[in-house]
């Protein structure tokens, strides 16, 4: 025999509802995968379509690279240029480095950042590039 | 069990558990097992286990009010009762439970008794347990809610709000370049520190060490392992978070996908979390539900004005005075014994 079922059963329902929140919250919602585009004119004109590091490394550590660059440029050794492993030279700069090729912020940066609900503080200071289309 | 062997046993168990996916992935491509099957199994075990526990508990009768009280009971109208510490009504119990669950009030009363300088007993104000417990539980709750950003799309506002509060200390400049990037979450650090303290006090305080069992150390080590792998993943070794979210959303929408190249550290983290969830209903951790059903807290102290009947009382054969008089009236009258009815 159950005792206090008028309290325990609502308690169980609330517990199950809370635990299964992700299940019913996402019901009927399609979750499109982020699809960052690298088809900007600058990249298409490139012979070697290779970023400063392989794609997998860029995916996971680009924020570290940017932070290191910032520290170097602003309060480190003030070096403004970096050389990749295969000898190409790039400017340590978000606007004049990264965004020169990846000029499509909304179709590149924002894709994953919005998907992950990440709000990087790059744009607190930097001005986002104007996009033509 | 010797406390050293208890610690070693549970530490090795956790170590083995954490490294199961590491070796599992090296031997075979078991992404689907570790990414989909085990998480589903763990969450089902967790839900069924905890609900089963609650149902099991609900079958125990609690016929008598046995609240522990720490205040004046309700009695004569001119004596002021303590409505929270000695509740006489449902509202008082509710207030008491609110303080208990949100602020750990009974733990706040904790004091230590020690012998000092010969036969002299001292009672000391001791709040470290309360402080670490409340930090531990709240930071764990924040960590748990923050993880909803992997399981929801779009992410609900309360999650993003909590996240921005949690990461309000922007420490772009860590001791190592990029160490605290992206934004440092306070909850993760506090969770690790509080759980670490809860472990250290078990080792350091002799009385607590004496009553500590492997079942006390194991969940602590498991939680420490979860926090460590999580922090490593976020700040140092880095995994592909977009892939992680694809996997998590796949689980939440019942369209499981296993993106390639997430990194084995993630599977180690996920597997330890699954272990915690699966272990939950069968361990002391089930106090999550138990606190809502603790007999010494959830009852009003109303024994003196409400009759509580034990539900398993067998029917007692009684012979009332009225029946007795009915039976023996003539003989009583004959013997000159006064009767109530003539």
């Amino acid at each position: 025999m159950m005792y206090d079922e008028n309290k325990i059963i609502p308690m169980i329902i609330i517990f199950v509802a809370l635990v299964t929140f992700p299940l019913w919250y996402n019901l009927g919602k399609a979750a499109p995968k982020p699809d960052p585009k690298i088809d900007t004119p600058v990249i298409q004109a490139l012979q070697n379509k290779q970023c400063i590091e392989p794609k997998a490394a860029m995916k996971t550590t680009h924020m570290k690279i940017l932070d290191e660059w910032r520290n170097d440029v602003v309060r480190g050794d003030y070096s403004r240029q970096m050389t990749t492993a295969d000898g190409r030279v790039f400017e340590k700069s978000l606007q004049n480095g990264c965004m020169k090729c990846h000029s499509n912020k909304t179709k590149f940066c924002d894709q994953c950042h919005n998907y992950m609900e990440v709000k990087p503080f790059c744009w607190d200071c930097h001005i986002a590039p104007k996009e033509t289309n | 069990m010797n406390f050293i062997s208890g610690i070693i046993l549970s530490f090795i168990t956790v170590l083995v558990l954490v490294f199961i996916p590491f070796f599992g992935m090296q031997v075979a491509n078991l992404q689907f097992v570790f990414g989909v099957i085990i998480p589903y199994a763990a969450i089902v075990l967790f839900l069924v286990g905890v609900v089963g526990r609650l149902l099991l508990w609900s079958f125990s009768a609690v016929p008598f009010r046995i609240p522990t009280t720490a205040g004046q009971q309700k009695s004569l109208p001119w004596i002021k009762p303590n409505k929270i510490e000695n509740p006489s009504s449902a509202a008082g119990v509710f207030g008491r439970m609110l303080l208990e669950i949100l602020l750990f009030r009974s733990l706040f009363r904790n004091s230590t008794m020690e012998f000092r300088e010969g036969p002299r007993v001292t009672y000391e104000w001791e709040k470290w347990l309360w402080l670490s417990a409340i930090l531990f539980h709240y930071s764990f709750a924040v960590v748990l809610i923050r993880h909803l950003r992997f399981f929801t799309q779009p992410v609900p506002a309360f999650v993003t709000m909590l996240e921005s509060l949690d990461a309000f200390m922007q420490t772009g400049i860590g001791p190592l370049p990029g160490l605290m990037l992206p934004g440092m979450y306070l909850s993760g650090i506090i969770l690790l520190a509080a759980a670490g303290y809860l472990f250290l006090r078990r080792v350091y305080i002799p009385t607590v060490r004496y009553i500590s069992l492997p079942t006390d150390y194991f969940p602590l080590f498991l939680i420490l392992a979860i926090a460590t792998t999580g922090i490593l993943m976020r700040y140092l070794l880095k995994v592909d978070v977009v892939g992680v979210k694809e996997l998590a959303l796949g689980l939440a929408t019942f369209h499981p996908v296993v993106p390639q190249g997430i990194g084995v550290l993630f599977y180690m983290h996920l597997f330890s979390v699954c272990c915690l969830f699966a272990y939950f209903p069968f361990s002391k951790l089930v106090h999550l539900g138990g606190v809502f059903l603790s007999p010494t807290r959830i009852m009003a102290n109303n024994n003196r004005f409400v009759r509580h009947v034990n539900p398993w009382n067998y029917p007692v054969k009684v012979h009332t005075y009225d029946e007795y008089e009915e039976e023996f009236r003539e003989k009583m009258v004959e013997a000159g014994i006064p009767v109530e009815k003539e």
Side-chain angles (χ1 to χ4, degrees), chain B residues 119-174:
Chain B
R120 200 159 67 91
V121 176
T122 58
Y123 295 90
E124 220 173 280
W125 198 79
E126 213 276 285
K127 295 282 175 272
W128 295 110
L129 175 59
W130 172 83
L131 185 70
S132 52
I134 204 155
L135 285 176
F136 172 78
H137 282 85
Y138 272 97
S139 53
F140 209 146
V142 170
V143 168
L144 210 62
I145 294 169
R146 263 198 355 234
H147 276 71
L148 283 176
R149 87 181 165 116
F150 292 106
F151 291 93
T152 51
Q153 179 69 22
V155 180
F158 71 90
V159 176
T160 44
M161 242 169 69
L162 194 71
E163 234 180 76
S164 54
L165 264 179
D166 197 4
F168 85 101
M169 274 175 51
Q170 199 184 81
T171 54
I173 313 143

Coordinates of all heavy atoms in Angstrom, one line a residue, chain B residues 119-174:
Chain B
P119 N 40.7 16.9 30.9 CA 39.3 16.5 30.8 C 38.4 17.8 30.6 O 37.6 18.1 31.5 CB 39.1 15.8 32.0 CG 40.0 16.3 33.0 CD 41.2 16.8 32.3
R120 N 38.7 18.5 29.6 CA 37.8 19.7 29.4 C 37.2 19.6 28.0 O 37.9 19.5 27.0 CB 38.7 21.0 29.4 CG 37.9 22.2 29.7 CD 38.8 23.3 30.3 NE 39.8 23.7 29.3 CZ 39.5 24.8 28.5 NH1 38.4 25.4 28.6 NH2 40.4 25.1 27.6
V121 N 35.9 19.6 28.0 CA 35.2 19.4 26.7 C 34.9 20.8 26.1 O 34.5 21.7 26.8 CB 33.8 18.7 26.9 CG1 33.1 18.6 25.6 CG2 34.1 17.3 27.5
T122 N 35.2 21.0 24.8 CA 34.9 22.2 24.1 C 33.9 21.9 23.0 O 34.1 20.9 22.3 CB 36.1 22.9 23.6 OG1 36.8 22.0 22.6 CG2 37.1 23.3 24.6
Y123 N 33.0 22.8 22.8 CA 32.1 22.7 21.7 C 32.4 23.9 20.7 O 32.5 25.0 21.2 CB 30.6 22.8 22.1 CG 30.2 21.6 22.9 CD1 30.4 21.7 24.3 CD2 29.7 20.5 22.4 CE1 30.0 20.6 25.1 CE2 29.3 19.4 23.1 CZ 29.5 19.5 24.5 OH 29.1 18.4 25.3
E124 N 32.7 23.5 19.5 CA 33.2 24.6 18.6 C 32.3 24.8 17.4 O 31.7 23.9 16.9 CB 34.6 24.2 18.1 CG 35.5 25.4 18.1 CD 36.9 25.0 17.8 OE1 37.6 24.5 18.7 OE2 37.3 25.1 16.6
W125 N 32.1 26.1 17.1 CA 31.4 26.5 15.9 C 32.2 25.9 14.7 O 33.4 26.1 14.5 CB 31.6 28.0 15.9 CG 30.7 28.8 15.1 CD1 29.4 29.1 15.3 CD2 31.0 29.4 13.8 NE1 28.9 29.9 14.3 CE2 29.9 30.1 13.4 CE3 32.2 29.5 13.0 CZ2 29.9 30.8 12.2 CZ3 32.2 30.2 11.9 CH2 31.0 30.9 11.5
E126 N 31.5 25.1 13.9 CA 32.2 24.5 12.8 C 31.3 24.7 11.5 O 30.3 24.0 11.4 CB 32.3 23.0 13.1 CG 33.6 22.4 12.5 CD 33.4 22.0 11.1 OE1 32.8 20.9 10.8 OE2 33.9 22.7 10.2
K127 N 31.7 25.5 10.6 CA 30.9 25.8 9.5 C 31.6 25.3 8.2 O 31.0 25.5 7.1 CB 30.7 27.3 9.4 CG 29.8 27.9 10.5 CD 28.4 27.5 10.4 CE 27.6 28.0 11.6 NZ 27.5 27.0 12.6
W128 N 32.7 24.8 8.3 CA 33.4 24.4 7.0 C 32.7 23.3 6.2 O 32.7 23.4 5.0 CB 34.9 24.0 7.3 CG 35.7 25.1 7.9 CD1 36.2 25.2 9.1 CD2 36.1 26.3 7.2 NE1 36.8 26.4 9.3 CE2 36.8 27.0 8.1 CE3 35.9 26.7 5.9 CZ2 37.4 28.3 7.8 CZ3 36.5 28.0 5.6 CH2 37.2 28.7 6.5
L129 N 32.1 22.4 7.0 CA 31.4 21.3 6.3 C 30.2 22.0 5.5 O 29.9 21.7 4.4 CB 30.9 20.3 7.3 CG 30.0 19.2 6.7 CD1 30.7 18.4 5.6 CD2 29.6 18.2 7.8
W130 N 29.5 22.8 6.3 CA 28.3 23.5 5.7 C 28.7 24.3 4.4 O 28.1 24.2 3.4 CB 27.6 24.4 6.7 CG 26.5 25.2 6.1 CD1 25.3 24.8 5.9 CD2 26.7 26.6 5.6 NE1 24.6 25.9 5.3 CE2 25.4 26.9 5.1 CE3 27.7 27.5 5.6 CZ2 25.2 28.2 4.6 CZ3 27.5 28.7 5.0 CH2 26.2 29.1 4.5
L131 N 29.8 25.0 4.6 CA 30.2 25.9 3.5 C 30.6 25.1 2.3 O 30.2 25.4 1.1 CB 31.4 26.8 4.0 CG 31.9 27.8 3.0 CD1 30.9 28.9 2.8 CD2 33.3 28.4 3.4
S132 N 31.5 24.0 2.5 CA 31.9 23.3 1.3 C 30.7 22.5 0.7 O 30.6 22.4 -0.5 CB 33.0 22.3 1.7 OG 32.6 21.6 2.8
A133 N 29.8 22.0 1.6 CA 28.7 21.3 1.1 C 27.8 22.2 0.2 O 27.4 21.8 -0.9 CB 27.8 20.7 2.2
I134 N 27.5 23.4 0.7 CA 26.6 24.3 -0.1 C 27.3 24.7 -1.4 O 26.7 24.8 -2.4 CB 26.1 25.4 0.8 CG1 24.8 25.9 0.2 CG2 27.1 26.6 0.9 CD1 23.9 26.6 1.2
L135 N 28.6 25.0 -1.3 CA 29.4 25.4 -2.5 C 29.4 24.2 -3.5 O 29.1 24.4 -4.7 CB 30.8 25.8 -2.2 CG 31.0 27.1 -1.5 CD1 32.4 27.4 -1.2 CD2 30.5 28.3 -2.4
F136 N 29.6 23.1 -3.0 CA 29.6 21.9 -3.8 C 28.3 21.7 -4.6 O 28.3 21.5 -5.8 CB 30.0 20.7 -3.0 CG 29.9 19.3 -3.7 CD1 30.9 18.9 -4.6 CD2 28.8 18.5 -3.5 CE1 30.8 17.7 -5.2 CE2 28.7 17.3 -4.2 CZ 29.7 16.9 -5.0
H137 N 27.2 21.7 -3.8 CA 25.9 21.4 -4.4 C 25.5 22.4 -5.4 O 25.0 22.2 -6.4 CB 24.9 21.2 -3.3 CG 24.9 19.9 -2.6 ND1 25.8 19.6 -1.6 CD2 24.3 18.7 -2.9 CE1 25.6 18.4 -1.2 NE2 24.7 17.8 -2.0
Y138 N 25.7 23.7 -5.0 CA 25.2 24.8 -5.9 C 26.1 24.8 -7.1 O 25.6 25.0 -8.2 CB 25.2 26.1 -5.2 CG 23.9 26.4 -4.5 CD1 23.7 26.1 -3.2 CD2 22.8 26.8 -5.2 CE1 22.4 26.3 -2.6 CE2 21.5 27.0 -4.6 CZ 21.4 26.7 -3.3 OH 20.1 26.9 -2.7
S139 N 27.4 24.6 -7.0 CA 28.2 24.7 -8.2 C 27.9 23.5 -9.1 O 27.9 23.6 -10.3 CB 29.7 24.8 -7.9 OG 30.1 23.8 -7.0
F140 N 27.6 22.4 -8.5 CA 27.3 21.2 -9.3 C 26.0 21.5 -10.0 O 25.8 21.2 -11.2 CB 27.1 20.0 -8.4 CG 27.4 18.7 -9.1 CD1 28.0 17.6 -8.4 CD2 27.1 18.5 -10.4 CE1 28.2 16.4 -9.0 CE2 27.4 17.3 -11.1 CZ 28.0 16.2 -10.3
A141 N 25.0 22.1 -9.4 CA 23.7 22.4 -10.0 C 24.0 23.4 -11.2 O 23.4 23.2 -12.3 CB 22.8 23.1 -9.0
V142 N 24.9 24.4 -11.0 CA 25.1 25.3 -12.0 C 25.8 24.6 -13.2 O 25.5 24.8 -14.4 CB 26.0 26.5 -11.5 CG1 26.5 27.4 -12.7 CG2 25.2 27.4 -10.5
V143 N 26.8 23.8 -12.9 CA 27.4 23.0 -14.0 C 26.4 22.2 -14.8 O 26.5 22.2 -16.0 CB 28.5 22.1 -13.4 CG1 29.1 21.1 -14.4 CG2 29.7 22.9 -12.8
L144 N 25.6 21.5 -14.0 CA 24.5 20.7 -14.7 C 23.7 21.5 -15.6 O 23.4 21.1 -16.7 CB 23.7 20.0 -13.6 CG 23.1 18.6 -13.9 CD1 24.2 17.6 -14.2 CD2 22.3 18.2 -12.7
I145 N 23.2 22.6 -15.1 CA 22.3 23.5 -15.9 C 23.0 24.0 -17.1 O 22.5 24.1 -18.2 CB 21.6 24.6 -15.0 CG1 20.7 24.0 -14.0 CG2 20.9 25.6 -15.9 CD1 20.3 24.9 -12.9
R146 N 24.3 24.4 -16.9 CA 25.1 25.0 -18.0 C 25.2 24.0 -19.1 O 25.2 24.4 -20.3 CB 26.5 25.3 -17.5 CG 26.6 26.8 -17.1 CD 28.1 27.1 -17.0 NE 28.9 26.0 -17.2 CZ 29.9 25.6 -16.4 NH1 30.2 26.2 -15.4 NH2 30.6 24.5 -16.6
H147 N 25.3 22.7 -18.8 CA 25.5 21.7 -19.8 C 24.2 21.6 -20.7 O 24.3 20.9 -21.7 CB 25.8 20.3 -19.2 CG 27.2 20.1 -18.9 ND1 27.9 20.8 -17.9 CD2 28.2 19.4 -19.5 CE1 29.2 20.5 -17.9 NE2 29.4 19.6 -18.8
L148 N 23.1 22.2 -20.3 CA 21.9 22.1 -21.2 C 22.2 22.8 -22.5 O 21.5 22.6 -23.5 CB 20.8 22.8 -20.5 CG 20.1 22.0 -19.4 CD1 19.0 22.8 -18.7 CD2 19.5 20.7 -20.0
R149 N 23.3 23.6 -22.6 CA 23.5 24.3 -23.9 C 23.9 23.3 -24.9 O 23.8 23.5 -26.1 CB 24.6 25.4 -23.7 CG 26.0 24.9 -23.8 CD 27.0 26.0 -23.6 NE 28.3 25.5 -23.4 CZ 29.3 25.8 -24.3 NH1 29.2 26.5 -25.3 NH2 30.5 25.3 -24.0
F150 N 24.4 22.1 -24.5 CA 24.7 21.0 -25.4 C 23.4 20.3 -25.9 O 23.4 19.6 -26.9 CB 25.7 20.1 -24.9 CG 27.1 20.7 -24.6 CD1 27.5 21.0 -23.4 CD2 27.9 20.9 -25.7 CE1 28.7 21.5 -23.2 CE2 29.1 21.5 -25.5 CZ 29.6 21.8 -24.2
F151 N 22.4 20.3 -25.0 CA 21.3 19.4 -25.2 C 20.0 20.2 -25.8 O 19.0 19.6 -26.0 CB 20.9 18.7 -23.9 CG 21.8 17.7 -23.5 CD1 22.9 18.1 -22.6 CD2 21.8 16.4 -23.9 CE1 23.8 17.1 -22.2 CE2 22.7 15.5 -23.5 CZ 23.7 15.8 -22.6
T152 N 20.2 21.5 -26.0 CA 19.0 22.2 -26.5 C 19.4 23.1 -27.6 O 20.5 23.6 -27.7 CB 18.5 23.1 -25.4 OG1 19.5 23.9 -24.8 CG2 17.8 22.3 -24.3
Q153 N 18.5 23.3 -28.5 CA 18.7 24.2 -29.7 C 17.3 24.8 -30.1 O 16.5 24.0 -30.5 CB 19.4 23.5 -30.8 CG 19.6 24.3 -32.1 CD 20.7 25.3 -31.8 OE1 21.5 25.2 -30.9 NE2 20.7 26.4 -32.6
P154 N 17.1 26.1 -29.9 CA 17.9 27.1 -29.4 C 18.1 26.9 -27.9 O 17.3 26.3 -27.2 CB 17.2 28.4 -29.7 CG 15.8 28.0 -29.7 CD 15.8 26.6 -30.3
V155 N 19.2 27.5 -27.3 CA 19.5 27.4 -25.9 C 18.6 28.3 -25.1 O 18.4 29.5 -25.5 CB 21.0 27.7 -25.6 CG1 21.3 27.7 -24.2 CG2 21.9 26.8 -26.4
P156 N 17.8 27.8 -24.1 CA 16.9 28.6 -23.4 C 17.6 29.8 -22.7 O 18.8 29.7 -22.3 CB 16.3 27.7 -22.4 CG 17.0 26.4 -22.5 CD 17.8 26.4 -23.7
A157 N 16.9 30.8 -22.5 CA 17.5 32.1 -21.9 C 18.1 31.9 -20.5 O 19.1 32.4 -20.2 CB 16.4 33.2 -21.9
F158 N 17.4 31.0 -19.7 CA 18.0 30.9 -18.3 C 19.3 30.2 -18.4 O 20.2 30.5 -17.5 CB 17.0 30.1 -17.4 CG 16.8 28.6 -17.7 CD1 17.6 27.7 -17.1 CD2 15.9 28.2 -18.6 CE1 17.5 26.4 -17.3 CE2 15.7 26.9 -18.9 CZ 16.5 25.9 -18.2
V159 N 19.6 29.4 -19.4 CA 20.9 28.8 -19.4 C 22.0 29.8 -19.8 O 23.0 29.9 -19.2 CB 20.9 27.6 -20.4 CG1 22.3 27.0 -20.6 CG2 19.9 26.5 -20.0
T160 N 21.7 30.6 -20.8 CA 22.7 31.6 -21.3 C 22.9 32.6 -20.2 O 24.0 33.1 -20.0 CB 22.2 32.3 -22.5 OG1 20.9 32.6 -22.4 CG2 22.4 31.4 -23.7
M161 N 21.8 33.0 -19.4 CA 22.0 34.0 -18.4 C 22.9 33.4 -17.3 O 23.8 34.1 -16.8 CB 20.6 34.3 -17.8 CG 20.2 35.7 -17.9 SD 18.5 35.9 -17.5 CE 18.5 35.6 -15.7
L162 N 22.6 32.2 -16.9 CA 23.4 31.5 -15.8 C 24.9 31.4 -16.3 O 25.8 31.7 -15.5 CB 22.9 30.1 -15.6 CG 23.4 29.5 -14.3 CD1 22.8 30.2 -13.1 CD2 23.0 28.0 -14.3
E163 N 25.1 31.1 -17.6 CA 26.4 31.0 -18.1 C 27.2 32.3 -18.1 O 28.3 32.3 -17.7 CB 26.3 30.6 -19.6 CG 27.0 29.4 -20.0 CD 26.8 29.1 -21.4 OE1 27.4 29.7 -22.3 OE2 26.0 28.2 -21.7
S164 N 26.5 33.4 -18.4 CA 27.2 34.7 -18.5 C 27.5 35.1 -17.0 O 28.6 35.7 -16.8 CB 26.4 35.7 -19.2 OG 25.1 35.8 -18.7
L165 N 26.6 34.8 -16.1 CA 26.9 35.1 -14.7 C 28.1 34.3 -14.2 O 29.0 34.8 -13.5 CB 25.7 34.7 -13.8 CG 24.7 35.8 -13.5 CD1 23.6 35.2 -12.7 CD2 25.4 36.9 -12.7
D166 N 28.1 33.0 -14.6 CA 29.1 32.1 -14.1 C 30.5 32.5 -14.7 O 31.5 32.3 -14.0 CB 28.8 30.7 -14.6 CG 29.6 29.6 -13.8 OD1 30.3 30.0 -12.9 OD2 29.4 28.4 -14.2
A167 N 30.5 33.1 -15.9 CA 31.8 33.4 -16.5 C 32.1 34.9 -16.5 O 32.8 35.5 -17.3 CB 31.7 33.0 -18.0
F168 N 31.6 35.6 -15.4 CA 31.7 37.0 -15.4 C 33.1 37.5 -15.2 O 33.5 38.6 -15.5 CB 30.7 37.7 -14.4 CG 31.3 37.7 -13.0 CD1 31.8 38.9 -12.5 CD2 31.2 36.7 -12.2 CE1 32.3 39.0 -11.2 CE2 31.7 36.7 -10.9 CZ 32.2 37.9 -10.4
M169 N 33.9 36.5 -14.6 CA 35.3 36.9 -14.5 C 36.1 36.5 -15.7 O 36.2 35.3 -16.0 CB 35.9 36.1 -13.3 CG 35.7 36.9 -12.0 SD 36.2 36.1 -10.5 CE 37.8 35.7 -10.8
Q170 N 36.4 37.5 -16.5 CA 37.0 37.2 -17.8 C 38.5 37.2 -17.7 O 39.2 38.2 -17.5 CB 36.6 38.3 -18.8 CG 36.8 38.0 -20.2 CD 36.4 39.2 -21.1 OE1 37.2 40.0 -21.3 NE2 35.2 39.2 -21.6
T171 N 39.1 36.0 -17.7 CA 40.5 35.9 -17.4 C 41.2 35.4 -18.7 O 41.7 34.3 -18.8 CB 40.8 34.9 -16.3 OG1 40.2 33.7 -16.6 CG2 40.3 35.4 -15.0
G172 N 41.2 36.3 -19.7 CA 41.9 36.0 -20.9 C 43.4 35.7 -20.7 O 44.0 34.9 -21.4
I173 N 43.9 36.4 -19.7 CA 45.3 36.2 -19.5 C 45.5 35.2 -18.3 O 45.5 35.6 -17.2 CB 46.0 37.6 -19.1 CG1 45.5 38.6 -20.1 CG2 47.5 37.5 -19.1 CD1 45.3 40.0 -19.5
G174 N 45.7 34.0 -18.6 CA 45.9 33.0 -17.6 C 47.4 32.9 -17.3 O 48.2 33.6 -18.0

